[in-house]
Amino acid sequence: MEEVSNIQLHFDVLSCRALLSCEGKDYVLPDTYPNRDAARAAAQKFAWERLGLKSRRAGRPSDIAIWLR
C-alpha cells in the first residue's frame, strides 16, 4: 500500500524563491528559480533525496505530486 504525503510548494515570483511544506514542516529551498516549473522540479528532487520519500515510494522523483499554492 502506498503512503500519501501532503506536499505543497509556494513559489514567490518577486524573489524567485520556493518554500516547500511537507508533513507540517516548512523548508526554504536554497536556490532561486526562473519559473514555477523549475521550482517544482527542484522541490520534487528535494523531497525525494532529503525528506526520505525515496525510501517510502517506488518510482522516480517526478512521480511525487507537488501542489502549487
Side-chain angles (χ1 to χ4, degrees):
M1 189 172 190
E2 188 173 314
E3 271 187 55
V4 176
S5 296
N6 183 18
I7 303 174
Q8 294 182 349
L9 175 68
H10 173 75
F11 178 67
D12 181 48
V13 295
L14 295 178
S15 68
C16 297
R17 301 296 302 256
L19 172 75
L20 183 69
S21 298
C22 179
E23 298 175 352
K25 295 182 182 176
D26 294 329
Y27 305 90
V28 176
L29 298 181
D31 298 320
T32 57
Y33 305 97
N35 56 43
R36 69 181 195 169
D37 293 330
R40 181 193 303 252
Q44 288 171 327
K45 184 176 179 184
F46 180 84
W48 181 256
E49 294 174 354
R50 304 285 179 161
L51 301 182
L53 294 184
K54 185 177 192 176
S55 62
R56 291 192 250 165
R57 293 183 56 105
R60 306 172 313 197
S62 61
D63 295 337
I64 299 172
I66 306 264
W67 302 100
L68 292 170
R69 61 176 181 166

